[in-house]
Amino acid sequence: AQKVTQAQTEISVVEKEDVTLDCVYETRDTTYYLFWYKQPPSGELVFLIRRNSFDEQNEISGRYSWNFQKSTSSFNFTITASQVVDSAVYFCALRDGGSNYKLTFGKGTLLTVNP
Amino acid sequence: GAGVSQSPRYKVAKRGQDVALRCDPISGHVSLFWYQQALGQGPEFLTYFQNEAQLDKSGLPSDRFFAERPEGSVSTLKIQRTQQEDSAVYLCASSLVRLFYTDTQYFGPGTRLTVL
């Protein structure tokens, strides 16, 4: 069975601080896909990144970076120099590589960036 | 281009009423998904369409829930005889290709259903 754990329910930081959101996953598949989505107060889930299990290269996109470590089944997300506009709920999600197209989401982490 | 749109954005229903929630996927997207998001939780899968075919409805919580996509584009999620436990945000997502292992699901803004 698939499972995604986001142990941090809420995080509060001051603007310009760096913040890391943790994600730990469980799956029996050797091929799988990991995602991060952002959900601002408007409610729409905004796609941020997709990672394949066979590609462990870390990725950086502007102020965002992702650290994928298969050895610890983790896919952590770091925001550098946080901004107020980063305030949102962030979800980590998992999809198996087989016929299971369903996304399994964690419970999300509420990030509040204070000015 | 336009993203996934959903209507209404908010719906208040009295217990026992029927409701219909609409989803307009991104133009050309083959796959369409419905998820239910309870307060403070992550979205949970309800059902999946590939074009007009409903390939998986295993996540629908009861037979009061019904979804359709008759022409392979717009989809409607219908809930009959609503109950208070149906209160949640209903999210629709679409993805471009049939090859599910390569695609990314893009979400709409959701419909917040409140059952009184």
Side-chain angles (χ1 to χ4, degrees), chain A residues 72-101:
Chain A
T72 57
S73 297
S74 65
F75 185 43
N76 296 337
F77 173 31
T78 297
I79 302 175
T80 303
S82 60
Q83 300 176 1
V84 172
V85 293
D86 295 328
S87 297
V89 180
Y90 289 85
F91 290 97
C92 181
L94 166 71
R95 190 180 73 222
D96 282 342
S99 60
N100 185 358
Y101 33 75

Side-chain angles (χ1 to χ4, degrees), chain A residues 6 17 19 52-53 59 94 98 105:
Chain A
Q6 294 181 254
E17 282 186 31
V19 58
N52 307 328
S53 56
E59 185 158 338
L94 166 71
F105 285 86

Side-chain angles (χ1 to χ4, degrees), chain A residues 9 31 33 35 37 39 41-47 49-50 52 89 91 95-108, chain B residues 3-4 9-10 33 35 37 40-45 48 55-56 58-59 89 91 99-110:
Chain A
T9 304
T31 299
Y33 302 84
F35 301 78
Y37 285 87
Q39 189 173 44
S42 61
E44 184 172 346
L45 278 167
V46 178
F47 166 73
I49 190 171
R50 182 183 74 209
N52 307 328
V89 180
F91 290 97
R95 190 180 73 222
D96 282 342
S99 60
N100 185 358
Y101 33 75
K102 309 169 191 177
L103 288 174
T104 298
F105 285 86
K107 291 189 175 182
Chain B
V4 178
R9 290 295 313 277
Y10 304 92
F33 306 81
Y35 290 82
Q37 186 177 18
Q41 303 295 314
E44 293 193 356
F45 171 82
Y48 161 62
L55 299 186
D56 188 340
S58 63
V89 175
L91 294 164
L99 299 176
F100 40 77
Y101 54 84
T102 65
D103 67 2
T104 292
Q105 295 176 29
Y106 296 93
F107 284 80

